[in-house]
Amino acid sequence: MTNWRQKYHISGVRKIAIRTVFLVALFWTAIDFVILLLEENRQVHHTSLFFREVLLFSVSLIMGYLFVYRMKTLFSHLPLWLNFLLRSLILLGLAFTITFLIQFLYSTLIQGQSLYESWKQIEDYVLHKNWLLQKIVYWISIFLVTQLMLIINEKYSPGVFFDIITGKYNNPKVENKIVMFIDLKDSTPIAENLGHGLYFKFIKEFIFNVSRAIIDFDGNIYQYVGDEVVCSWNASEKNAKKCLKAVIQSRRNIQKKGEHFRRRYGVVPEFRVGINVGEVTIGEIGVIKKDLAMSGDTMNTTARIRSACNELNHHFIVSKEFLDLSGLKEWQSASLGLVELKGKEQGMELFQLKI
C-alpha cells in the first residue's frame, strides 16, 4: 500500500498546477457564458448553450494546461516579453480554431445545416461582421488577465490573487500564524569553497527541495532571503503537524539527492529550523515595488529562535507555544530551558525537536 501511494503520489506543486488549470478553464468558460448572454439581439437555445460551454470548457482545459504548464516550461529560458508573446500567439491560434470548431458544430449538429452551408455561414461571419477583429481583442484581453493572475500567484503564492484584487491587505490585518524560518547550515565556508557561480546553483537546488516540501504540506512561502526560506501556515493543530511534516519531507528530499549533491558540489546541504506561533501583521508596503509584508514580535522572535540553533548546536528548535499547539508527545521533544534571545527582555523556554 505504501509503495502504491508513493508511486501515484501527486506533489503539492502538481496539485497547484492542476487546480490552476481547472480555474483558468472555468474562468474562460464563465466569461464566454456571460458575454454570450449579454449580446444584443441574440436568442440563445438552452441545448446549444450547454453544448457550447461544455465543449469550450473541455478545450479550455487543454489550453489551460498548455498555458500554465507546458509552454511555461518550454519557453522558460526566453525573456519574459518573448515568452509571453509566443504563448499568446500560440493560444490565439488555438482560440480561433476552437471558435471556428464550436460555430461549425453548432451549425451542423444543432441547426441541422449541411457542411457547405455551415462553412459559408462562418465565412460570411468572418468577412462581413468584423468578427476577426472582435475575437482578437476578446482573446488577447482574456490572456492578459489570465497572465496577470498567474504572475500574482507566482509572486505572492497561490490563492492570494483575489486578496490582492479585493484589497484585503490595503489596511494591515492581524492574523494568527505559524511561522517557520529555514536556512542553510555552514553557508559561509560552503560559499568560499564553491565560488560565487557554483554556490548560487547549490543554493538554488537547496531552496527548490525545501520549497517543494513546504508546498506539499500547504505552507505559504513568504520570502527567500539568500539561503533562508520564510514560510507560514494559519495557526491550528492540523497545520502545526503539516509544518513538522514539511521539515521532515525537506530533509528526505535532500537525502534523496545526497549523491547528486556530493558529486556536483562535494557537500550535502544541512539546514536549521526555527518555528514559532503568534500574531503577525500582514499588509501591502512599497511605492514603486509593491509587496506583502509580515511583521511583528512573532516574526522577530522566530528569527531569533532560528539563530539560537547555531548557538545551541541543534537543528530544529521551536517555541513552547508551538509545541503546545502541535500536540507532540513528550519523547518527541526536549526542553532547552530558558534561553536568552537577542532583543527579548526575558528568557524564553525553547525545545529541541527529536525528528
Side-chain angles (χ1 to χ4, degrees), residues 181-185 187-188 191 199-208 210-211 221 223-230 306:
F181 280 62
I182 299 180
D183 78 341
L184 182 68
K185 178 185 175 184
S187 58
T188 301
Y199 178 67
F200 183 85
K201 294 178 181 178
F202 177 78
I203 290 297
K204 186 176 181 179
E205 290 197 45
F206 165 71
I207 287 178
F208 172 81
V210 170
S211 300
I221 296 174
Q223 64 181 8
Y224 300 109
V225 184
D227 58 18
E228 186 174 62
V229 183
V230 184
R306 203 283 312 151

Side-chain angles (χ1 to χ4, degrees), residues 151-158 160 164 221 290-292:
I151 289 173
I152 291 177
N153 269 345
E154 285 183 357
K155 179 170 178 57
Y156 296 110
S157 81
V160 181
I164 299 295
I221 296 174
K290 292 284 188 178
D291 208 344
L292 276 183

Side-chain angles (χ1 to χ4, degrees), residues 8 34 59 64 88 99 126 196 214 218 242 246 254 297 310 312:
Y8 295 99
V34 171
V59 179
S88 297
T99 305
V126 173
H196 296 297
I214 293 168
D218 303 323
K242 287 183 177 180
I254 291 173
D297 182 66
N310 297 329
L312 301 175

Side-chain angles (χ1 to χ4, degrees), residues 26 134 240 268 275 317 336:
L26 192 64
Q134 292 174 7
V268 178
I275 309 175
I317 297 180
L336 299 172

Side-chain angles (χ1 to χ4, degrees), residues 16 29 39 50 54-55 59 85 99 110 124 139 163 171 196 219-220 230 248 259 271 284 288 293 296 313 322 327 351:
I16 290 173
T29 305
E39 284 185 356
F50 176 77
V54 168
L55 180 60
V59 179
L85 177 63
T99 305
I110 303 300
D124 179 68
W139 281 108
D163 291 338
N171 295 315
H196 296 297
N220 291 314
V230 184
I248 295 170
E259 188 58 34
F271 59 88
E284 288 189 48
I288 301 300
N313 197 28
F322 176 81
F351 292 81

Side-chain angles (χ1 to χ4, degrees), residues 297 300-301 304 340-346:
D297 182 66
N300 296 331
T301 301
R304 301 289 182 258
E340 297 291 335
L341 298 178
K342 185 179 179 181
K344 305 290 288 185
E345 293 182 359
Q346 297 179 341

